[in-house]
Amino acid sequence: MAKVKLDTVTKKFREVVAVNRVSIEVEDGEFMALLGPSGCGKTTTLRLIAGLEEADEGSIHIGDVLVNNLPPSERDLSMVFQFYAMYPGMNAYNQLAFPLRMRKVPRNEIDRLVKEAAQTLGITDILDRPLRALTVDQKQRVAIGRAIVRKPKVFLFDEPLTNLDAQLRTTMRAELKHLQKKLGVTTIFVTHDQLEAITMADRIAVMNDGKIVQIGTTDDLYDNPANLFVAGFIGSPPMNFIDCTLSKRDGKIILEAGDFKYPSKKLNDLLKDQADGSKIVLGIRPEYIDVSKIQNGRTIQGSIEIVEPVGNRMILDMDIGGHPVKADVRAFDISSGDKVWVSFDEDKVRVFDKSSSNALV
């Protein structure tokens, strides 16, 4: 097993900077997700690690070895793609055996390793089946088996669950996480699906426009996003944002946006160095909003526009001072058009600088 380290790695395709000075360290045995929207550079980053693309700048280490000039075959890693790239004329057994045969592994050792991988993945009973007879789920397991059979130092996964239906994706997320922990292999997993990232990874590196914008655990990213992009990308429903002006009155700070006004004792100290009139963005996640038909200490008034039942909870689309806000609350008797009183959990309110998009609180 091995640590993977990228130091200020850059990759350009003509005038397009696909990966922009990316630095990241994936610890030995860690499961790291590269998360971001399509075109953000995450797959190119993975291909740079694999040796399928050549870095224009920066260094890539696997363990203690600088691998920039090493071909993929000498980097001791395995990669599973979104499209499994199976060999059409081979049955499942031979799909798993092929990379070992290419390395001139003895026949009896190939048989042992293939059957061991098949046992781990629960595909022993399909080893004799041709590719055309395999389900999508079985093909995915074979592709993973082909990666693990070589016992590499690093696994690279490029959105391998995309082609599965929702139920199979849920099953395979759990199985893949369990498999990675069992084998203890350093793993880098590319995905645009935040649910995959937060349920599987030890840490997540969020990418946007070719850059890593924040690295952390799920809790780090969810509760303390570094900027507006991370705050809006992580979470479903996403964080609510209200563009505000910071006003200082009689030593108190109020965030104002038309009819919306948010006074907060906590913000008095945290934002005391911000200039009067500063343009900021207030952020609050839907589950940190309390909603009731009764005022009872709640400070913000609004009205219900849409009620979306979700089991024993509901998503409320509200109008608060002319601003759309979603709340995720336990189900209660409420209907569209009802007037409500709302309060935000002060410890969960986040504030961002409007011009830089960086977090202030």
Side-chain angles (χ1 to χ4, degrees):
M1 313 314 162
K3 175 189 285 190
V4 177
K5 181 179 179 181
L6 281 67
D7 187 5
T8 57
V9 171
T10 296
K11 177 64 181 178
K12 299 178 182 178
F13 295 102
R14 295 185 179 179
E15 301 303 315
V16 177
V17 182
V19 175
N20 191 352
R21 296 182 62 80
V22 163
S23 294
I24 188 172
E25 291 190 25
V26 185
E27 298 299 329
D28 186 1
E30 183 177 22
F31 194 126
M32 171 73 78
L34 298 183
L35 173 67
S38 297
C40 72
K42 55 190 186 294
T43 291
T44 302
T45 300
L46 201 73
R47 290 174 63 84
L48 288 165
I49 298 168
L52 301 176
E53 302 287 353
E54 184 177 343
D56 296 314
E57 300 173 15
S59 62
I60 303 171
H61 284 80
I62 297 177
D64 297 326
V65 179
L66 177 67
V67 299
N68 287 52
N69 297 319
L70 291 181
S73 60
E74 295 181 22
R75 298 193 181 195
D76 200 7
L77 46 77
S78 289
M79 188 166 181
V80 178
F81 298 91
Q82 177 179 345
F83 301 101
Y84 307 135
M86 298 289 184
Y87 304 108
M90 295 183 184
N91 63 16
Y93 181 98
N94 288 321
Q95 300 282 349
L96 271 64
F98 183 78
L100 298 173
R101 289 175 180 148
M102 293 298 292
R103 289 172 171 259
K104 310 296 185 184
V105 175
R107 181 177 297 178
N108 62 335
E109 181 68 1
I110 290 175
D111 189 64
R112 184 185 70 80
L113 291 170
V114 167
K115 289 179 179 177
E116 182 181 283
Q119 179 74 26
T120 299
L121 290 162
I123 55 173
T124 300
D125 59 338
I126 66 164
L127 288 178
D128 61 343
R129 295 184 191 177
L131 181 61
R132 65 180 180 276
L134 301 180
T135 65
V136 173
D137 172 39
Q138 290 167 343
K139 288 178 182 178
Q140 198 241 19
R141 291 172 190 270
V142 171
I144 294 172
R146 193 168 55 188
I148 71 173
V149 73
R150 286 182 39 236
K151 300 185 181 297
K153 290 180 179 178
V154 180
F155 288 148
L156 304 178
F157 291 97
D158 187 12
E159 306 209 44
L161 308 184
T162 298
N163 296 319
L164 304 181
D165 63 35
Q167 185 173 355
L168 277 177
R169 289 180 78 168
T170 300
T171 300
M172 287 308 302
R173 281 200 305 265
E175 291 190 11
L176 194 55
K177 175 69 172 178
H178 175 73
L179 177 65
Q180 191 271 337
K181 290 304 177 188
K182 178 181 178 180
L183 299 176
V185 179
T186 306
T187 299
I188 304 174
F189 187 100
V190 160
T191 181
H192 66 275
D193 185 333
Q194 59 167 298
L195 186 58
E196 285 183 3
I198 65 178
T199 56
M200 297 171 68
D202 299 315
R203 287 190 300 152
I204 301 168
V206 182
M207 294 191 69
N208 190 36
D209 291 334
K211 299 179 181 179
I212 290 182
V213 292
Q214 189 173 358
I215 301 174
T217 64
T218 299
D219 289 345
D220 292 334
L221 302 175
Y222 195 80
D223 288 327
N224 297 294
N227 53 43
L228 285 169
F229 175 79
V230 176
F233 194 76
I234 301 290
S236 181
M239 182 178 282
N240 296 291
F241 298 121
I242 302 175
D243 288 350
C244 298
T245 299
L246 186 150
S247 299
K248 294 183 176 181
R249 298 177 186 171
D250 301 323
K252 296 180 180 180
I253 288 177
I254 299 175
L255 306 184
E256 298 181 314
D259 292 335
F260 172 83
K261 299 186 188 326
Y262 183 71
S264 169
K265 293 179 181 179
K266 181 180 178 181
L267 294 181
N268 283 346
D269 290 333
L270 296 174
L271 297 175
K272 63 184 178 182
D273 294 331
Q274 298 297 311
D276 187 27
S278 297
K279 300 301 181 183
I280 63 170
V281 180
L282 181 151
I284 183 72
R285 294 202 179 277
E287 64 270 30
Y288 299 144
I289 299 176
D290 178 57
V291 182
S292 176
K293 293 181 180 179
I294 303 170
Q295 183 173 7
N296 193 23
R298 299 171 183 87
T299 56
I300 305 167
Q301 192 168 28
S303 61
I304 302 297
E305 296 196 333
I306 300 174
V307 178
E308 303 174 55
V310 186
N312 67 346
R313 300 191 67 79
M314 55 177 58
I315 307 297
L316 303 178
D317 285 72
M318 301 180 292
D319 180 283
I320 296 178
H323 303 277
V325 174
K326 284 183 181 285
D328 179 350
V329 301
R330 184 172 293 277
F332 69 106
D333 183 19
I334 195 79
S335 303
S336 299
D338 286 352
K339 301 298 180 184
V340 291
W341 287 93
V342 175
S343 64
F344 299 163
D345 183 337
E346 285 199 59
D347 291 331
K348 300 299 185 179
V349 169
R350 295 293 171 258
V351 178
F352 304 86
D353 179 76
K354 175 70 173 176
S355 60
S356 69
S357 87
N358 291 331
L360 297 172
V361 175

